[in-house]
Amino acid sequence: MGDLQEAQGYINRVRDPHPAGMYSGRIAYDRGDLSGAAAQFAQQVPSEHPSAPQVRRAALGEVLTVLGLPDRGLAPPVALILRQGGRVGEAERVLTRADAQIARILRQGRVPYTFIVSAAEVWAVQGRQDWALGALERAFARGWRHVGDAALPDMADEPTFAALRGHMRFKQLRAQIAAELARERGEAQAIGM
């Protein structure tokens, strides 16, 4: 209702920092303070909610999309940049930490397919092609189409998937995605869009 001070008072009473930060981020987003919203959503906070990291990640991805900035996922682009700069040991430490985080989150149960795609990026950069391809195939089976969560229109152009480009399973998945998008485009045109 526009009373930001009252809203902040309610947020200050929330004991768990995850929902409190999410509410603050949402208020910032609604007010047009997108950088403030991104800062709130990017914070890693302890929470009793097992899905808190995935929820925060999704909210951050939404803000980055609105801003026209690429959503960099977990750690693969950072590791690639470090490798290109000759800092291979540092890149491997980033990937090892990301891999440990992936394992911890996957043990919690079902995760959004966007998280599975981010895990696939880590595994592709690590050279674990079968793991990466399996993750992408699982994400596709759950509805992922490499739209809305990527800066590049073709996943073959994603630097994190460079090691997968020549693999037949990767080519088949790209063809499946292209066919799904063509079908959706045809349906949209049929209803006058």
Side-chain angles (χ1 to χ4, degrees), residues 42-62:
Q43 290 179 17
Q44 298 297 316
V45 296
S47 177
E48 59 191 45
H49 299 276
S51 63
Q54 298 95 315
V55 170
R56 295 179 86 78
R57 190 78 190 95
L60 176 59
E62 178 184 337

Side-chain angles (χ1 to χ4, degrees), residues 162-179:
L164 305 177
R165 289 181 189 140
H167 201 288
M168 183 54 66
R169 285 168 62 193
F170 188 72
K171 291 176 184 178
Q172 290 170 339
L173 184 59
R174 286 180 59 225
Q176 287 177 301
I177 289 171

Side-chain angles (χ1 to χ4, degrees), residues 24-34 36-38 41 59 62-63 66:
S24 293
R26 191 66 216 182
I27 288 172
Y29 185 91
D30 290 343
R31 292 181 58 227
D33 179 8
L34 300 181
F41 297 147
E62 178 184 337
V63 173
V66 170

